[in-house]
Amino acid sequence: MLKSKTFLKKTRAGGVMKIVREHYLRDDIGCGAPGCAACGRAHEGPVLELQPQDPASSLCPRPHYLLPDTNVLLHQIDVLEDPAIRNVIVLQTVLQEVRNRSAPVYKRIRDVTSNREKHFYTFTNEHHRETYVEQEQGENANDRNDRAIRVAAKWYNEHLKKISAENQLQVIFITNDKKNKEKAVEEGIPAFTCEEYVKSLTANPELVDRLACLSDEANEIESGKIIFSEHLPLSKLQQGIKSGTYLQGTFRASRENYLEATVWIHGDNEENKEILLQGLKHLNRAVHEDIVAVELFPKSQWVAPSSVVLQDEGLNEDDVEKEEEREQMLKTAVSEKMLKPTGRVVGIIKRNWRPYCGMLSKSDIKESRRHLFTPADKRIPRIRIETRQASVLEGRRIIVAIDGWPRNSRYPNGHFVKNLGDVGEKETETEVLLLEHDVPHQPFSQAVLSFLPKMPWSITENDMKNREDLRHLCVCSVDPPGCTDIDDALHCRELENGHLEVGVHIADVSHFIRPGNALDQESARRGTTVYLCEKRIDMVPELLSSNLCSLRSNVDRLAFSCIWEMNHNAEILKTRFTKSVINSKASLTYAEAQMRIDSATMNDDITSSLRGLNKLAKILKKKRIEKGALTLSSPEVRFHMDSETHDPIDLQTKELRETNSMVEEFMLLANISVAKKIHEEFSEHALLRKHPAPPPSNYEILVKAAKSKNLEIKTDTAKSLADSLDRAESPAFPYLNTLLRILATRCMMQAVYFCSGMDNDFHHYGLASPIYTHFTSPIRRYADIIVHRLLAVAIGADCTYPELTDKHKLADICKNLNFRHKMAQYAQRASVAFHTQLFFKSKGIISEEAYILFVRKNAIVVLIPKYGLEGTVFFEEKDKPKPRLIYDDEIPSLKVEDAEFHIFDKVKVKIMLDSSNLQHQKIRMSLVEPQIPGISFSTDNSNMDLNEPERKKMKLKK
C-alpha cells in the first residue's frame, strides 16, 4: 500500500517545484513473537521469547513484553541494559527520536538489540499498515509520535491474543509522561511509569538503584533554599549569543580548585578567548566539558586566577555559607595585568555528561538511602545518589550517572550504574583509568576480526604488484626491550658512486586495513595504541600488531619504504618512496645497538649499517638544532616488575642512549619527507601535524624562574629559546638546566593533527620544521594509516577513495585523533601514578632530595629527580595551627614563617603513601629540610598509621 503527500515549494530562482513524498505500508512486518501464526516467518534477527522468563512483577503477574516510549529509552538506558530486563519491543518511532536526540544512547540501544540473550525486538511500526498514523491537523510532531506509540501498544495487545488466548501474553506500555499514561489507560492499554514497574520487580531490588532520578525541578524548589540562579532557555541563549550579549564555550573545571573554572570560547574571537569563573553561584551547575553560555562582566569586576589549592571536602553538603567564606579566600590584591576576563554561566547549551567512576561516601545517618558519591576525577562535583546497597558498595569503585541538578541542591542528583570492584586492586584501578579517560578497550568484535587475513599467511604474487623486493638489504630494527609491535626498520649502505643510501622501512599496515570496513572503522575510533605500565591496549588486533605487520627479524614482511641518497654531510640528493618487501636481519634493543656501535671487535654488515646511521644522525641533529629545534626534557620513569606478583619493585628514570636519538632523527626525516610529498600531491587533503608557538604569557613562569637564578631566557623565537636554554648553565648547580627544560616543556602548546585544506599555519614549533606529519608508526597510530594511503595514491601504488579527498571528513578524523591522543597521554600518566603508589606502599616512608618547580599560595610543587616524581607539599593542614604565609606572585616566592621558597630551590622531603582517603590514595610529601618548627616532618615522627585503610578494607570485607 502506498501513501503519498504532495506539496509545492518555491525555489530560490522564484519558480515553483512540486514535491511528492511516498510512504510505503506493508502487511508482512513481523511482530517479533516466535510461533505467531499471523506473522508467519516475517521477522528476522533477535526475537522475543514465546514464554517470557522475566522476573516476577507484583503489578503484572501475567507473562508480558515491555514497550517503552522515547523518554524512557533516553533516560533509563541503564535499567534497560540490566540483564534482568528482557523481552522489550523497541518501536521505529522511538528509535528515530532517540537517534535525533542522543547519539551515545542510540548506539547503546543498537548494541542491546543485537544481543540475542536480551530478546529486544525492533518493530517497524511506521511502515506497518495497521500501526501507521498520520499527523492530524493542529497536532504537533511530539503528540503524533505519542499517539503512534499508543496505537502500536494497543495493536500488539490485540494481536497477541491471536497467538493463544490462554497464554495471556500482554504488552506493558512504560512511560514517565503523566498525560500519555492517562490516555493509554483510558484506551485500555496496561501502562506504568518506569519507577512503578522496576519497584514491582521484588526479586531484583538492586534495579531500583539504577533508576535515573528525574524529579521535577519546579517541585524541588518549594522544598529547599534556592542556591543557584535559573538557567535561561535555549532560545534566549541563542539570541544572546547572536547579539553578542553572551558568549558560547566549553566549560573546563579546575582540578586544583573546585570553586574555579574557565570557559574556552568557541570561534575565532582572539580577545576574551578564555573566561574565568569564580565562586559556586557563577559556575551555576555547569559540569566539566559542558557547552555553556556565559555573560562577561565589566572590567571593574574582573579577577585573577587563584593560587589557592582547594578540594571539596563536602563535610556538610548544604553548608553554602562555608562555601562563601572559602570564595573570599580566592580574592587577593593583584596587579592589573594579572586580571583575566571574568564572567558567569547563564545557561547550558549542551550537557556532556558521561558515566563517572568513583566511590561512595556513605551517609552518617543510619538506614539512610541518600549518599554522596565522590568521582575519581576531581573536576567533577560530588553526586547525590539513592541506593539500598551502600554497605556493599563501601570501599568499592563504582560507576554513577548524573540525572539532573536542581537549583536548590548543592550537588547534582544521579543514580548507580555498576560495581567495578575493590578499590586499590590492580584490575579495578586499570579499568577505572581506562573508563575515566574514555579509552576504548573492549575486545575486538567478531565483525572486526572477520577482516583479518586467514592464517597461515604468506606473500602472494598479487601482493608483489607495485612493490619492490628489498629482501637483499641489510635491514634491522632498534626498539625498547620487550617491544613486539615493531613499526620501523632501517638500513644504510655505501653506493658505487661513493654516496650513502639510507632507508626507513615502515610496516605496511594499510595493505591489511582497507578503507571503510569494520576493522578500519574500529582502528579509526581507537585512534592510537595506549601503553600502560603493564598492559597495552592495541589499536589493531594482535595478529597484525605483534605478528603480520610487526617487522620481526628473519621473516618476510610488507613495508612502505622511504629511501634517500645522501652525501657524507647528510645532505639529501634524492628521495624516493616505494612499497616493498623486506626481511629484517636483526631486532635489536637500544642497548644492544649501542653496544655494537661502541664495540671495537664487531664489523659485520649490521654493525657497519648502524655506525653509518649513527654518524649521519649526529649531523642531522646538529643541523636541526641550528635551525632552532628545541631539546626539552620530561622525567620519564620505568618500573621493574616482580615476575610473579607483577608489583613494581624498583622505579628509575629512563636512560636515553645515542641510539634513541639515532632512530628518532631518521623517523623525523622520514615524516618531513613524506609530509612534503603528500602536500605536493594533495594540497587540500594532506593530513599533517603542527605544533603552534606558545603565546608569550605561557613563558612568564619560565622567565621569572630563570631570572631568580640570574639567568636570562629569551622567548621571542624557538631559536632564541633553544640558544638561551643552552646557555643557561650553572657550574654550582648542574641539574638547573634540566629543570629549566622541564619547565619549558610545561609552557608548550599541544601538537595537533589537521587537514591542510582547513588551515594555513603548518609550522612545527618544537621541531623548527615548516611542515610535518606522522608516517612511521602505523601499527599504533591511525593518523599514519591515512598518511600511508595518501602517499600510496601519490606514487601510484594504490587507488584512492572518496573520503580520502574530502577535507571535512579528514578534519573530523583529525578531531577524534587529537582527542584520543590526549586521553591516551593522560591514561598513561594515571597508570604511572598508580604504579608509583604501589611502589611506595611497599617502601614505607622515604626521604629524598627534591627541587621546587612551582610556588603556590599555600603550597610548593616539587620534583624528585631520582624517581622522576612530582608532588605537592602543603603548608596548611586541617586541625593544625596555620603558619604565617606571605606569597609574592612577582618573583614568585612563598615565605613560610621565616623560611623563603623560590622556584628551583633544593629541599628535602618525606615521601609516603597517604591512604587515609581510600578514594584518592596519593603520594604525600612533607617538608624535612629546611627545618620549620611545626611544619617540617621530623625523622622520629613515624607514628602515622599507614595501614589504617588496609584495616578499613578488612572491616568492610567481614
Side-chain angles (χ1 to χ4, degrees):
M1 180 183 166
L2 182 69
K3 290 248 176 196
S4 66
K5 264 186 192 174
T6 307
F7 55 93
L8 302 174
K9 184 182 172 186
K10 197 174 181 183
T11 64
R12 270 187 185 170
V16 175
M17 188 191 282
K18 183 179 179 182
I19 293 175
V20 179
R21 288 251 167 91
E22 295 181 339
H23 190 91
Y24 290 87
L25 298 180
R26 299 167 57 165
D27 297 318
D28 59 350
I29 295 169
C31 68
C36 175
C39 297
R41 296 188 173 275
H43 31 249
E44 290 172 15
V47 292
L48 304 157
E49 289 178 297
L50 182 59
Q51 285 292 331
Q53 301 298 310
D54 285 337
S57 162
S58 57
L59 283 174
C60 28
R62 283 162 57 181
H64 56 269
Y65 302 139
L66 300 178
L67 192 150
D69 73 357
T70 308
N71 283 323
V72 169
L73 225 62
L74 279 169
H75 301 299
Q76 306 293 356
I77 182 71
D78 289 320
V79 171
L80 295 172
E81 283 177 333
D82 192 280
I85 302 292
R86 295 156 31 154
N87 293 297
V88 175
I89 299 160
V90 181
L91 297 181
Q92 180 192 2
T93 311
V94 170
L95 207 53
Q96 281 171 346
E97 276 197 279
V98 169
R99 188 180 191 172
N100 294 335
R101 285 169 63 181
S102 172
V105 173
Y106 178 72
K107 186 188 179 304
R108 285 168 73 180
I109 208 70
R110 296 298 301 185
D111 290 345
V112 175
T113 49
S114 61
N115 178 355
R116 290 178 179 272
E117 288 172 17
K118 290 279 286 171
H119 298 284
F120 272 50
Y121 180 68
T122 309
F123 178 59
T124 320
N125 65 310
E126 294 290 353
H127 290 280
H128 193 289
R129 191 199 292 263
E130 292 179 52
T131 58
Y132 172 71
V133 300
E134 286 198 54
Q135 194 166 341
E136 293 171 353
Q137 211 167 354
E139 186 179 44
N140 65 30
N142 198 34
D143 289 344
R144 179 258 166 214
N145 287 347
D146 283 349
R147 188 162 57 86
I149 296 167
R150 291 196 306 275
V151 165
K154 193 167 185 177
W155 174 83
Y156 254 107
N157 277 313
E158 296 295 322
H159 179 80
L160 291 178
K161 284 176 188 169
K162 296 174 190 172
I163 295 182
S164 93
E166 65 276 7
N167 197 4
Q168 294 187 315
L169 256 176
Q170 266 188 314
V171 166
I172 307 286
F173 178 39
I174 305 290
T175 178
N176 287 333
D177 182 328
K178 210 173 169 182
K179 284 182 184 169
N180 205 7
K181 186 189 165 195
E182 282 168 8
K183 283 181 183 172
V185 173
E186 277 170 28
E187 292 167 21
I189 304 163
F192 302 104
T193 66
C194 192
E195 191 172 341
E196 284 169 347
Y197 180 75
V198 166
K199 284 183 175 173
S200 78
L201 304 176
T202 45
N204 297 80
E206 75 287 347
L207 255 184
V208 177
D209 287 357
R210 301 189 74 169
L211 277 170
C213 164
L214 298 171
S215 54
D216 189 355
E217 200 166 292
N219 299 341
E220 286 258 351
I221 296 303
E222 298 161 19
S223 63
K225 181 184 168 190
I226 294 173
I227 303 170
F228 300 101
S229 54
E230 199 169 348
H231 287 151
L232 297 179
L234 199 56
S235 54
K236 276 196 177 169
L237 296 178
Q238 283 164 339
Q239 278 172 6
I241 289 162
K242 211 172 180 182
S243 66
T245 314
Y246 305 134
L247 297 166
Q248 176 177 326
T250 305
F251 181 88
R252 301 266 166 84
S254 161
R255 265 196 184 87
E256 292 189 332
N257 188 337
Y258 74 101
L259 293 175
E260 193 167 271
T262 48
V263 173
W264 287 79
I265 301 305
H266 301 170
D268 302 322
N269 177 15
E270 277 310 307
E271 183 184 28
N272 304 335
K273 194 80 188 141
E274 197 182 328
I275 292 180
L276 181 68
L277 313 175
Q278 262 186 14
L280 213 53
K281 290 177 183 178
H282 292 159
L283 303 181
N284 198 4
R285 296 172 288 155
V287 175
H288 184 65
E289 292 295 342
D290 281 351
I291 309 295
V292 298
V294 289
E295 176 187 27
L296 185 64
F297 291 155
K299 277 195 174 175
S300 59
Q301 291 177 35
W302 286 11
V303 295
S306 166
S307 305
V308 177
V309 179
L310 271 187
Q311 302 299 334
D312 179 8
E313 269 115 31
L315 299 172
N316 182 349
E317 55 182 270
D318 294 313
D319 194 349
V320 180
E321 284 74 16
K322 191 75 181 280
E323 306 293 4
E324 286 167 5
E325 230 175 85
R326 288 185 139 202
E327 282 168 26
Q328 289 309 311
M329 279 175 67
L330 307 183
K331 297 174 174 52
T332 45
V334 284
S335 63
E336 199 150 311
K337 68 175 198 293
M338 298 293 290
L339 298 176
K340 290 270 194 300
T342 309
R344 70 183 182 102
V345 171
V346 290
I348 308 290
I349 291 159
K350 183 173 181 274
R351 288 289 194 191
N352 276 324
W353 294 339
R354 60 179 175 82
Y356 301 104
C357 298
M359 286 181 74
L360 196 69
S361 307
K362 199 174 166 208
S363 170
D364 295 335
I365 305 163
K366 216 178 174 188
E367 302 300 316
S368 174
R369 285 186 191 170
R370 299 186 88 183
H371 307 274
L372 277 179
F373 161 83
T374 308
D377 186 341
K378 290 183 180 175
R379 295 169 301 189
I380 307 299
R382 291 171 163 226
I383 302 163
R384 191 188 280 115
I385 67 166
E386 284 198 31
T387 176
R388 298 154 186 244
Q389 16 175 5
S391 50
V392 177
L393 298 178
E394 207 181 355
R396 299 287 182 94
R397 291 278 192 188
I398 62 172
I399 297 178
V400 160
I402 298 180
D403 300 323
W405 196 339
R407 286 172 59 197
N408 64 331
S409 172
R410 167 70 182 82
Y411 297 111
N413 294 328
H415 66 273
F416 166 78
V417 176
K418 191 181 178 186
N419 181 352
L420 293 173
D422 285 339
V423 70
E425 287 193 356
K426 211 175 293 183
E427 289 72 26
T428 306
E429 295 302 331
T430 302
E431 178 75 4
V432 167
L433 74 87
L434 291 171
L435 287 168
E436 276 300 290
H437 296 99
D438 198 5
V439 175
H441 59 286
Q442 280 68 34
F444 289 98
S445 69
Q446 263 329 107
V448 169
L449 298 174
S450 67
F451 285 97
L452 292 174
K454 302 290 172 274
M455 295 301 283
W457 174 85
S458 60
I459 295 168
T460 64
E461 211 172 296
N462 204 33
D463 294 334
M464 291 304 293
K465 281 182 187 168
N466 301 321
R467 212 174 268 282
E468 261 185 68
D469 191 340
L470 302 179
R471 285 176 281 200
H472 61 285
L473 292 177
C474 186
V475 171
C476 68
S477 62
V478 185
D479 288 283
C483 177
T484 59
D485 51 345
I486 303 170
D487 284 292
D488 53 88
L490 300 152
H491 89 271
C492 175
R493 64 173 181 166
E494 197 153 341
L495 299 171
E496 287 171 3
N497 61 8
H499 292 150
L500 296 169
E501 178 189 84
V502 176
V504 165
H505 311 276
I506 305 299
D508 189 4
V509 181
S510 63
H511 173 85
F512 296 97
I513 299 181
R514 301 311 294 165
N517 69 22
L519 177 56
D520 181 46
Q521 287 170 0
E522 182 61 20
S523 307
R525 186 174 82 90
R526 293 184 178 219
T528 178
T529 292
V530 181
Y531 294 91
L532 306 180
C533 291
E534 273 193 280
K535 197 176 185 179
R536 190 179 80 200
I537 314 292
D538 280 325
M539 180 184 83
V540 299
E542 196 178 11
L543 179 66
L544 296 182
S545 67
S546 296
N547 187 350
L548 302 184
C549 292
S550 185
L551 305 181
R552 304 189 304 193
S553 55
N554 304 315
V555 285
D556 293 350
R557 287 288 177 259
L558 302 179
F560 210 146
S561 301
C562 172
I563 300 168
W564 303 278
E565 188 178 322
M566 292 182 175
N567 61 22
H568 287 268
N569 288 331
E571 288 161 345
I572 297 168
L573 308 171
K574 272 187 206 160
T575 307
R576 70 188 181 93
F577 306 98
T578 177
K579 289 229 174 185
S580 60
V581 180
I582 63 163
N583 187 302
S584 171
K585 304 297 179 273
S587 300
L588 306 171
T589 65
Y590 290 118
E592 287 166 348
Q594 192 66 53
M595 198 176 70
R596 279 174 177 264
I597 290 167
D598 298 340
S599 166
T601 54
M602 295 181 87
N603 288 304
D604 58 285
D605 288 351
I606 294 169
T607 308
S608 305
S609 177
L610 287 169
R611 285 184 186 139
L613 289 165
N614 197 37
K615 195 175 159 195
L616 291 169
K618 286 178 180 175
I619 302 167
L620 287 168
K621 186 170 186 175
K622 190 166 175 277
K623 285 182 185 172
R624 223 167 34 81
I625 287 168
E626 278 167 8
K627 272 200 222 159
L630 297 171
T631 312
L632 299 176
S633 180
S634 62
E636 284 195 70
V637 294
R638 163 165 257 120
F639 292 96
H640 295 275
M641 300 293 185
D642 184 298
S643 56
E644 285 177 20
T645 63
H646 296 285
D647 284 341
I649 47 175
D650 197 9
L651 175 60
Q652 292 172 337
T653 47
K654 284 184 186 172
E655 188 187 339
L656 294 177
R657 296 180 171 83
E658 257 185 20
T659 43
N660 290 74
S661 180
M662 174 188 85
V663 173
E664 185 187 5
E665 285 309 315
F666 286 107
M667 296 306 120
L668 293 176
L669 191 62
N671 286 334
I672 291 166
S673 299
V674 170
K676 287 175 183 167
K677 178 71 179 171
I678 61 171
H679 185 245
E680 250 170 52
E681 287 294 323
F682 304 99
S683 60
E684 291 285 294
H685 315 113
L687 190 152
L688 302 175
R689 187 163 175 84
K690 68 170 182 176
H691 182 215
S697 60
N698 278 30
Y699 286 125
E700 275 176 20
I701 190 75
L702 177 67
V703 173
K704 282 179 184 177
K707 198 176 170 187
S708 71
K709 295 288 178 229
N710 299 318
L711 294 168
E712 187 185 14
I713 296 285
K714 291 195 170 135
T715 61
D716 43 335
T717 64
K719 174 90 177 115
S720 60
L721 174 63
D723 291 346
S724 54
L725 280 170
D726 286 341
R727 286 193 301 270
E729 295 281 356
S730 165
F733 187 1
Y735 196 65
L736 176 65
N737 192 263
T738 307
L739 285 169
L740 282 166
R741 289 180 195 276
I742 288 170
L743 211 52
T745 309
R746 307 292 169 89
C747 303
M748 292 299 136
M749 305 290 280
Q750 190 85 32
V752 289
Y753 296 111
F754 69 102
C755 171
S756 58
M758 307 288 274
D759 208 324
N760 44 23
D761 172 25
F762 294 6
H763 192 78
H764 196 294
Y765 179 80
L767 298 171
S769 175
I771 192 166
Y772 191 66
T773 192
H774 271 164
F775 163 76
T776 55
S777 294
I779 296 177
R780 59 187 177 88
R781 291 189 305 230
Y782 187 76
D784 303 52
I785 293 178
I786 297 284
V787 169
H788 277 227
R789 288 173 182 167
L790 288 164
L791 184 61
V793 174
I795 63 167
D798 206 343
C799 50
T800 186
Y801 59 99
E803 284 81 7
L804 196 64
T805 51
D806 181 334
K807 62 183 183 183
H808 296 286
K809 289 252 171 71
L810 212 53
D812 287 342
I813 288 172
C814 290
K815 190 178 173 185
N816 178 54
L817 292 178
N818 291 330
F819 171 72
R820 293 291 178 210
H821 274 262
K822 189 169 73 178
M823 287 297 128
Q825 246 177 344
Y826 291 161
Q828 283 154 4
R829 284 180 206 163
S831 180
V832 168
F834 174 63
H835 280 79
T836 307
Q837 287 173 16
L838 288 180
F839 172 71
F840 283 106
K841 190 175 187 176
S842 60
K843 285 280 179 246
I845 299 175
I846 296 177
S847 191
E848 285 296 340
E849 284 184 345
Y851 294 99
I852 298 176
L853 275 185
F854 301 103
V855 176
R856 300 271 186 253
K857 210 172 185 178
N858 58 348
I860 53 173
V861 178
V862 299
L863 173 79
I864 297 162
K866 182 177 175 182
Y867 299 122
L869 180 67
E870 209 177 294
T872 308
V873 177
F874 290 98
F875 293 117
E876 289 180 331
E877 286 193 56
K878 260 193 317 190
D879 311 324
K880 281 197 179 175
K882 285 191 178 181
R884 190 174 77 253
L885 301 177
I886 301 167
Y887 174 68
D888 184 339
D889 188 64
E890 283 302 307
I891 305 175
S893 72
L894 176 68
K895 197 169 182 183
V896 183
E897 297 295 342
D898 297 324
E900 196 162 342
F901 296 98
H902 301 89
I903 293 182
F904 302 150
D905 282 358
K906 192 176 187 176
V907 293
K908 197 168 191 181
V909 295
K910 282 269 183 210
I911 318 162
M912 56 191 157
L913 181 67
D914 177 4
S915 307
S916 55
N917 179 344
L918 271 175
Q919 157 76 339
H920 287 119
Q921 293 195 35
K922 56 178 182 275
I923 301 295
R924 187 169 166 193
M925 296 191 185
S926 312
L927 194 66
V928 176
E929 286 172 18
Q931 275 285 332
I932 305 171
I935 299 280
S936 297
F937 193 113
S938 58
T939 37
D940 61 340
N941 190 358
S942 54
N943 58 355
M944 270 205 66
D945 191 349
L946 297 173
N947 296 318
E948 187 199 343
E950 293 304 315
R951 285 211 296 276
K952 267 193 200 169
K953 279 175 79 175
M954 292 307 290
K955 265 190 211 167
L956 294 173
K957 283 179 180 173
K958 277 177 190 174

